[in-house]
């Protein structure tokens, strides 16, 4: 032994042992035939360097020897050595050329493969059926339809178009290039063949192109022709069954699998699990999974994905825990499935545990896993965690951005969603339909019309194509911003409509003071064959309420249950009580309240309290307010309304008591705030606000406005004054309400002829409503003001709400 290192033998001893191992492992070779056979076996096993040693030892090499060595190098992707040997070959046959070419095809080297294919013909070598098969497989793999068609043309000229091997490759190529009709034509034109490979290619083609029923029919025809399916046929037909939810036929295929002895094949078993779980038969899928002799991660992933899709989130998580506890190899497809199961739950503890495991196992570097993490945290409302994962990603794609942007939008962080959308565009990521729909919804919530119009312009310039979801979001955005003409244009341009489209129209027109038009759209909706849903009737009753259409409202309220089987919810009752209350019919409102089939919620009591305030029914108002104190204890509105009702009735002590109660609970009234957009910048105003850079001009404009509208007949309604002062003080206070400051700034900045759009966070007061009517008349301006209740379109001294505000 080596004295310096007793564990390491001398080099000469190692050499002797190596020679002995080679002598033992390598049989004595007597002939070139035996050498060639060994060279082929060694090359196929991937021992390329040992194959080269054998090749170099051979003094008597023939064409087979050279071709085998070239093929070994090429198939291993060692093209420099393959090309060198190819150039040294004394005799190049078509097989020699094909040996190098098949390696290029196998490794997806498109340019090199086709250059060699055409060059071999220039050199006078005729490609074989296997050469054509290799090139066609490359076309299938890379989706090279045009080049595949060239090979098809060549096969016709060389009469290979009747060769079963070549035609099968052509069928596969056309199917994978989404030209299933061409594949079908070739299959039907083929002479009668018992080749199961050709049948399998056709079945697979149908399944991959989304035509599951044709795949099933093809499998039936194959069975009728007595062609035996194999382990590659069954997964394709099972995928087709899963796609069209043909569970009964899938069960028959399962029987064929058992009879054919393929039930132990891991690919077939995996396809069975996938088929059963996609068809909703989770129990049978679980039985197949448990009977598998080898735990296959693909099958377990299919099971987890299936459970998530069917809504069995706990089972999906349980399967993951079993995989982890049995030390099964979890891959980058397992984690996204598990994270999807956690996304729809509030199980934040397990979410953090799985994230920790992802970091521990090194999968945090995988884009697919990170995208699923961002999506999960966003859907759970943990936006900071979602952003942190997103921010640490080196390679962000459209899915990464979409998950984050939609997460912020769905969780009410609309401004952040818009900012991220701008960042996304800056980084050169073009939005998809999901992002666009989310951003348009955010624009609707923020009522930022200009931004929404820019997104619409981006959409028009893009190649995204038709999307019903995007069109519906676009329609809703314009409706929420009070642009009813744009709503019409979007609707007229839509290729299709669904119940969401019609409901958005009905609600949009009702919000903009055109309730009768809403009812006409409902009639058109029914005529189109679209069935109304729960939300549609909320929109209809809202339209009737704001237009004062009692008879229509009662008719729709009865129709929803009698005709469509929809039980009214608190939202429907709130609309009906609001409808009765606006017209002063509090007797019917109380009667309906007492006969509700569901427990009244805050919206019902708010509608009743509002009606009681307008019509002075203090007794019923007290009942409504007290219920609201319990349901929404931090909401200041019922306290203020009840206090004002007591004041109006002269019950000053009760009014003071309610104010003290409100103060003792530290409940503060939400301050009135109005805002508008001028040149892509939002300007916000509070009552008696003096923080705007152009305050002096605004206040001077207010003086002008008040003078002109008083001359036109406006009389301040001091009941809406905010301060308990003398009449002059109250009148001055009214003049500087937030919406009046906003209209003053608008008259200073928005060109004549352009519509003025103002938004307010609380309901417009009666005095401001009256003032706006006079302002629209005196200044000849169209004014659109939106409060939480509806839009008010002021034109020539009139309002679209018909004063049912």
């Amino acid at each position: 032994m080596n004295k310096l290192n007793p564990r390491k033998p001398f080099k000469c001893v190692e050499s002797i042992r190596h020679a002995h191992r080679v002598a033992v492992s390598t049989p004595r070779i007597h002939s070139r035939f035996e050498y060639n056979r060994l060279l082929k076996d060694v090359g196929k096993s991937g021992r390329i360097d040992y194959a080269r040693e054998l090749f170099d030892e051979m003094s008597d090499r023939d064409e087979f020897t050279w071709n085998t060595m070239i093929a070994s190098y090429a198939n291993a992707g060692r093209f420099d050595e393959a090309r060198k040997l190819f150039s040294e070959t004394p005799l190049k046959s078509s097989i020699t050329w094909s040996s190098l070419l098949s390696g290029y095809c196998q490794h997806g080297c498109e340019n090199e493969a086709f250059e060699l294919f055409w060059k071999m013909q220039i050199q006078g070598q005729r490609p074989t059926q296997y050469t054509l098969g290799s090139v066609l497989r490359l076309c299938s793999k890379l989706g090279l339809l045009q080049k595949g068609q060239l090979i098809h043309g060549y096969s016709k000229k060389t009469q290979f178009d009747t060769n079963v091997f070549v035609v099968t490759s052509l069928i596969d190529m056309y199917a994978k290039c989404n030209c299933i009709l061409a594949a079908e034509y070739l299959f039907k034109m083929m002479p009668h063949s018992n080749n199961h490979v050709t049948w399998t290619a056709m079945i697979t083609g149908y399944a991959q192109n989304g035509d599951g029923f044709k795949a099933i029919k093809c499998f039936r025809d194959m069975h009728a022709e007595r062609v035996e399916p194999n382990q590659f046929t069954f997964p394709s037909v099972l995928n087709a069954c899963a796609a069209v939810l043909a569970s009964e036929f899938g069960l028959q295929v399962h029987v064929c699998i058992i009879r054919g002895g393929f039930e132990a094949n891991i690919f077939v078993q995996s396809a069975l699990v996938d088929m059963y779980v996609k068809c909703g038969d989770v129990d049978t899928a679980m039985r197949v999974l448990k009977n598998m002799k080898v735990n296959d991660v693909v099958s377990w992933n299919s099971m987890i994905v299936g459970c998530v899709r069917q809504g069995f989130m706990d089972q999906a998580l349980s399967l993951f825990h079993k995989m982890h506890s049995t030390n099964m190899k979890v891959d980058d497809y397992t984690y996204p499935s598990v994270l999807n199961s956690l996304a729809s739950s509030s199980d934040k503890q397990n979410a953090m545990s799985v994230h920790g495991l992802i970091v521990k196992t090194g999968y945090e570097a995988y884009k697919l896993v990170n995208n699923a993490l961002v999506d999960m945290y966003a859907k759970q409302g943990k936006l900071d965690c979602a952003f942190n994962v997103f921010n640490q990603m080196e390679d962000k794609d459209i899915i990464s951005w979409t998950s984050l942007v939609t997460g912020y939008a769905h969780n009410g962080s609309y401004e952040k969603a818009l900012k991220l959308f701008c960042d996304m565009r800056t980084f050169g990521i073009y939005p998809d339909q999901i992002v666009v729909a989310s951003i348009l919804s955010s624009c609707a919530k923020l009522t930022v019309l200009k931004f929404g119009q820019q997104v619409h312009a981006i959409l028009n310039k893009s190649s995204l194509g038709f999307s019903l979801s995007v069109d519906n979001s676009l329609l809703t955005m314009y409706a929420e911003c009070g642009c009813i003409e744009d709503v019409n244009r979007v609707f007229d341009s839509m290729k299709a409509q669904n119940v969401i489209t019609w409901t958005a129209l009905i609600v949009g027109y009702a919000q903009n003071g055109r309730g009768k038009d809403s009812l006409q759209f409902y009639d058109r909706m029914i005529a189109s064959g679209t069935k109304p849903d729960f939300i549609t009737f909320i929109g209809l009753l809202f339209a009737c309420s704001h237009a004062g259409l009692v008879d229509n409202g009662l008719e729709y309220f009865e129709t929803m249950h009698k005709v469509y089987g929809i039980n009214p919810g608190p939202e429907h009752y709130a609309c009906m009580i609001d409808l009765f209350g606006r017209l002063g019919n509090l007797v019917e409102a109380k009667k309906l309240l007492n006969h509700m089939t569901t427990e009244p919620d805050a919206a019902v009591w708010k509608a009743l309290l509002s009606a009681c305030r307008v019509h002075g029914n203090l007794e019923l108002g007290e009942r409504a307010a007290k219920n609201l104190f319990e349901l929404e204890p931090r909401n200041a509105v019922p306290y203020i309304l009840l206090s004002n009702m007591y004041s109006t009735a002269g019950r000053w002590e009760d009014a003071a008591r309610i104010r003290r109660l409100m103060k003792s609970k530290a409940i503060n009234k939400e301050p009135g705030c109005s805002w508008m957009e001028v040149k892509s910048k939002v300007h916000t105003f509070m009552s008696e606000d003096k923080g705007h850079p152009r305050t002096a001009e605004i206040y001077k404009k207010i003086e002008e406005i008040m003078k002109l509208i008083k001359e036109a007949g406006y009389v301040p309604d001091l009941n809406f004054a905010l301060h308990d002062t003398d009449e002059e003080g109250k009148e001055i206070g009214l003049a500087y309400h937030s919406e009046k400051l906003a209209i003053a700034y608008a008259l200073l900045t928005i060109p004549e002829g352009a519509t003025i759009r103002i938004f307010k966070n609380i309901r417009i007061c009666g005095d401001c409503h009256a003032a706006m009517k006079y302002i629209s008349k005196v200044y000849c301006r169209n004014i659109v003001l939106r409060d939480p209740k509806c839009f008010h379109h002021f034109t020539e001294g009139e309002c679209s709400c018909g004063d049912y505000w």
Side-chain angles (χ1 to χ4, degrees):
M1 296 295 288
N2 187 343
K3 292 181 180 180
L4 296 175
N5 188 350
R7 294 185 179 182
K8 184 177 180 181
F10 286 109
K11 284 186 177 180
C12 60
V13 177
E14 286 186 82
S15 301
I16 294 169
R17 288 179 178 175
H18 174 70
H20 176 70
R21 284 196 300 269
V22 171
V24 171
S25 61
T26 306
R28 188 178 296 277
I29 301 173
H30 296 286
S31 66
R32 183 176 64 191
F33 174 79
E34 290 177 328
Y35 254 116
N36 282 340
R37 186 175 64 179
L38 181 59
L39 184 68
K40 181 181 179 182
D41 292 341
V42 171
K44 279 188 174 181
S45 68
R47 294 181 291 170
I48 311 300
D49 293 331
Y50 180 41
R52 184 58 194 251
E53 289 178 18
L54 288 173
F55 178 81
D56 291 339
E57 287 177 12
M58 294 177 65
S59 56
D60 184 18
R61 301 171 187 152
D62 60 6
E63 183 185 341
F64 182 88
T65 313
W66 287 90
N67 292 344
T68 302
M69 197 64 232
I70 291 168
S72 297
Y73 275 133
N75 292 336
R78 293 165 64 169
F79 293 113
D80 289 340
E81 293 153 302
R83 282 191 296 268
K84 186 176 183 299
L85 210 59
F86 178 80
S87 64
E88 295 172 357
T89 305
L91 180 64
K92 296 183 181 69
S93 66
S94 60
I95 297 174
T96 314
W97 288 83
S98 297
S99 298
L100 181 57
L101 191 147
S102 64
Y104 281 129
C105 292
Q106 184 179 331
H107 289 273
C109 302
E110 175 190 348
N111 296 331
E112 292 86 347
F114 278 97
E115 182 183 351
L116 202 64
F117 178 74
W118 302 121
K119 194 173 181 180
M120 73 179 290
Q121 295 170 65
I122 294 171
Q123 296 293 327
Q125 298 294 334
R126 186 172 185 266
T128 66
Q129 60 176 335
Y130 302 109
T131 314
L132 295 176
S134 294
V135 177
L136 287 168
R137 276 194 297 276
L138 176 66
C139 294
S140 300
K141 182 179 180 181
L142 301 181
L144 307 174
L145 176 60
Q146 290 184 340
K147 289 185 175 177
Q149 289 171 328
L150 288 175
I151 302 301
H152 188 182
Y154 177 83
S155 69
K156 287 182 178 180
K157 290 179 182 179
T158 53
Q159 298 182 346
F160 274 113
D161 58 330
T162 57
N163 181 280
V164 173
F165 182 81
V166 174
V167 174
T168 301
S169 298
L170 281 167
I171 290 170
D172 180 65
M173 183 275 296
Y174 278 119
K176 285 191 169 69
C177 291
N178 299 320
C179 293
I180 193 65
L181 293 178
E184 186 179 66
Y185 175 80
L186 285 174
F187 180 75
K188 289 180 178 179
M189 290 297 103
M190 277 186 69
H192 181 76
S193 172
N194 289 325
N195 188 335
H196 64 271
V197 179
T198 309
W199 283 91
T200 300
M202 196 65 241
I203 293 169
T204 304
Y206 281 132
Q208 289 175 342
N209 281 270
D211 202 335
F213 291 110
K214 279 193 175 182
I216 290 170
K217 182 181 182 302
C218 193
F219 181 80
R220 281 176 171 161
D221 294 342
M222 179 182 181
H223 184 71
E225 293 288 336
R226 300 187 181 279
V227 180
E228 292 296 327
N230 64 3
Q231 69 270 26
F232 301 107
T233 316
F234 288 119
S236 294
V237 73
L238 287 170
N239 288 341
C241 292
V244 297
L245 304 180
S247 56
E248 292 185 8
F249 191 81
L251 184 60
Q252 295 174 30
V253 174
H254 193 172
V255 172
C256 293
I257 289 167
I258 295 171
R259 288 177 180 173
F262 291 102
E263 71 271 21
N265 183 278
I266 194 167
F267 299 107
V268 174
Q269 286 178 321
S270 182
L272 276 169
V273 170
D274 185 64
M275 184 274 295
Y276 278 123
V277 79
K278 283 181 179 175
C279 290
D281 193 348
V282 176
D283 292 337
T284 305
M286 191 67 78
R287 282 197 294 272
V288 175
L289 187 70
K290 287 181 178 178
N291 290 332
M292 291 178 69
K293 294 180 180 179
V294 178
N295 281 329
D296 172 47
V297 67
V298 176
S299 305
W300 281 77
N301 286 348
S302 296
M303 192 71 216
I304 291 172
V305 171
C307 286
V308 171
R309 287 176 178 169
Q310 297 296 325
F312 302 118
M313 304 304 178
D314 292 338
Q315 282 184 254
L317 201 57
S318 175
L319 284 165
F320 173 72
H321 286 313
K322 285 181 182 177
M323 288 181 76
H324 184 58
S325 62
T326 55
N327 294 322
M328 191 186 305
K329 180 175 173 59
V330 176
D331 62 16
D332 55 323
Y333 291 99
T334 312
Y335 283 118
S337 303
V338 175
L339 293 170
N340 285 340
S341 72
L342 292 165
S344 58
S345 72
S346 57
D347 191 352
K348 296 179 181 179
Q349 185 62 44
N350 264 321
M352 296 297 290
S353 298
V354 174
H355 190 177
L357 193 60
I358 288 168
V359 175
K360 185 178 178 181
T361 52
Y363 280 100
E364 60 181 333
Y366 285 74
K367 188 195 301 182
L368 191 67
V369 176
N370 277 321
N371 285 343
L373 272 171
V374 173
D375 182 65
M376 177 199 69
Y377 280 130
K379 286 178 178 174
Q380 286 192 344
K382 300 182 72 173
L383 297 177
D384 289 342
C385 293
F387 185 78
N388 288 337
V389 174
F390 174 84
N391 207 31
Q392 292 169 10
M393 292 176 66
E394 293 183 4
D395 183 20
K396 304 176 182 72
D397 60 8
I398 180 62
I399 298 172
S400 319
W401 286 95
T402 298
S403 298
L404 193 65
V405 172
T406 56
Y408 275 100
H410 292 162
N411 283 280
S413 298
Y414 307 118
E415 291 183 7
K416 182 67 174 177
L418 298 190
K419 184 182 181 302
L420 281 168
F421 178 77
C422 294
D423 293 342
M424 176 181 174
R425 297 275 293 149
T426 302
F427 279 97
I429 305 295
Y430 211 87
D432 61 11
Q433 293 175 340
I434 299 172
V435 170
V436 171
S438 295
I439 289 300
L440 288 171
S441 296
S442 297
C443 291
K445 295 295 183 182
L446 294 173
T447 59
V448 283
L449 176 61
K450 296 296 182 184
F451 199 103
Q453 289 172 328
Q454 291 172 18
V455 175
H456 191 181
I458 291 170
L459 187 64
N460 287 336
K461 292 177 182 178
S462 73
S463 56
L464 285 178
F466 165 72
S467 168
L468 187 55
S469 174
V470 170
D471 282 346
N472 285 340
S473 297
L474 195 59
L475 189 149
T476 302
M477 185 273 292
Y478 279 122
E480 291 288 327
C481 291
C483 301
I484 209 69
E485 295 81 9
D486 292 301
V487 169
N488 288 331
R489 277 192 286 271
V490 172
F491 179 76
D492 292 339
S493 68
M494 290 177 69
K495 296 179 181 178
Q497 296 89 22
N498 62 5
V499 65
I500 298 172
T501 315
W502 291 103
T503 300
L505 269 176
I506 291 167
V507 173
Y509 269 83
Q511 285 180 328
N512 283 275
R514 295 173 62 174
K516 291 182 179 179
D517 290 327
S518 292
L519 307 194
Q520 290 177 5
F521 277 114
Y522 174 74
D523 293 336
R524 287 176 59 183
M525 172 186 174
I526 299 302
S528 72
T530 306
K531 186 179 178 181
D533 63 9
F534 188 92
I535 307 297
T536 309
F537 281 104
I538 295 176
L540 273 176
L541 295 175
F542 177 87
C544 293
S545 171
H546 282 254
L549 305 172
V550 179
D551 293 337
N552 297 91
L554 287 169
E555 181 186 346
Y556 294 132
F557 190 73
E558 292 179 3
T559 298
M560 62 183 291
H561 178 68
K562 290 182 179 178
V563 178
Y564 297 103
I566 300 171
N567 292 321
E571 302 92 337
H572 303 101
Y573 283 107
C575 288
M576 289 302 297
I577 288 171
D578 187 57
L579 173 57
F580 287 129
R582 282 171 181 264
L583 298 176
N585 195 346
L586 295 179
V587 174
E588 286 296 323
K590 184 179 179 181
K591 182 178 177 182
L592 183 63
L593 176 70
N594 293 333
H595 288 85
M596 281 182 64
T597 57
T598 182
E599 193 68 24
D601 67 358
V604 173
W605 293 113
K606 283 177 186 176
L608 185 62
L609 179 59
S610 180
C612 291
R613 179 190 66 84
V614 174
H615 299 287
N617 190 323
L618 186 56
E619 181 183 353
L620 195 55
E622 286 178 320
R623 178 185 172 190
K626 287 176 182 177
N627 278 284
L628 282 169
F629 293 163
E630 293 180 6
L631 292 170
E632 295 184 348
R634 304 302 303 170
N635 189 351
V637 173
Y639 290 92
I640 293 168
L641 290 181
L642 184 59
S643 175
N644 289 343
M645 288 176 69
Y646 281 137
S647 297
T648 303
R651 293 171 58 174
W652 306 110
E653 291 184 6
D654 287 325
R657 176 175 56 81
I658 295 298
R659 294 282 182 177
R660 286 195 301 272
L661 179 63
M662 185 177 169
K663 187 176 181 180
S664 68
K665 293 183 177 182
I667 300 171
N668 296 315
K669 177 189 174 184
E670 181 183 7
C673 172
S674 298
W675 67 94
M676 58 185 299
E677 189 178 359
V678 179
K679 295 181 179 179
S680 300
K681 184 178 179 181
V682 176
H683 297 262
T684 306
F685 301 91
M686 308 285 284
S687 183
E688 300 185 23
D689 193 353
K690 293 185 179 180
H692 196 276
R694 299 179 66 178
T695 295
E697 294 176 78
I698 292 170
Y699 273 65
K700 187 176 180 181
K701 191 69 177 178
I702 287 285
E703 291 177 10
E704 175 196 301
I705 291 170
M706 300 311 293
K707 179 183 176 183
L708 291 176
I709 63 175
K710 281 180 179 178
E711 290 175 357
Y714 161 74
V715 177
D717 189 341
L718 302 183
N719 290 319
F720 293 94
L722 298 176
H723 302 298
D724 187 14
T725 61
D726 56 22
E727 289 194 6
E728 185 179 354
K730 289 180 179 180
E731 189 174 327
I732 292 172
L734 287 173
Y736 300 122
H737 277 192
S738 64
E739 52 266 60
K740 290 192 180 82
L741 294 174
I743 195 68
Y745 182 68
L747 291 171
L748 286 169
T749 56
I750 296 178
E752 290 187 19
T755 299
I756 296 172
R757 299 180 186 279
I758 298 171
F759 304 92
K760 189 171 182 184
N761 64 330
I762 61 175
R763 195 172 184 182
I764 182 175
C765 80
D767 178 73
C768 287
H769 188 273
M772 288 294 174
K773 290 168 68 174
Y774 280 100
I775 292 169
S776 70
K777 183 178 181 180
V778 169
Y779 287 90
C780 299
R781 301 297 292 264
N782 291 329
I783 302 169
V784 179
L785 189 148
R786 177 190 169 182
D787 65 16
K789 285 285 184 179
C790 66
F791 278 94
H792 302 269
H793 292 256
F794 298 98
T795 306
E796 297 180 356
E798 298 295 332
C799 181
S800 59
C801 71
D803 290 345
Y804 285 106
W805 61 274

